[in-house]
Amino acid sequence: VMPGFRNRGIGRALLTHAIAEGKRLGLAVTLAVDPDNTGAQRLYHSLGFRHMRDIFIFGNTYWKWKV
């Protein structure tokens, strides 16, 4: 979500819909988060995501989370 539109529930609404659609379709719902992005981690954790493992994308470490 663009900085000027953060903290308005937009990201939560989008993720809630994505999680519901993924579950409806029988898909695993996962995402990658920067270990330094604590704000995103709080949001993801509050929606039921949990850290699964570290992954490496283009030489950077990210955490893979799953609902």
Side-chain angles (χ1 to χ4, degrees), residues 15 31 33-34 37-46 65:
L15 282 169
L31 54 79
V33 61
D34 186 323
N37 192 342
T38 57
Q41 291 174 37
R42 280 191 301 276
L43 171 62
Y44 302 153
H45 192 266
S46 74
W65 288 36

Side-chain angles (χ1 to χ4, degrees), residues 2-14:
M2 293 177 57
F5 294 91
R6 290 183 184 157
N7 298 312
R8 297 183 186 188
I10 297 168
R12 179 175 297 279
L14 291 169

Side-chain angles (χ1 to χ4, degrees), residues 19-42:
I19 292 166
E21 275 298 291
K23 288 182 177 181
R24 184 182 72 78
L25 296 170
L27 302 172
V29 180
T30 64
L31 54 79
V33 61
D34 186 323
D36 295 327
N37 192 342
T38 57
Q41 291 174 37
R42 280 191 301 276

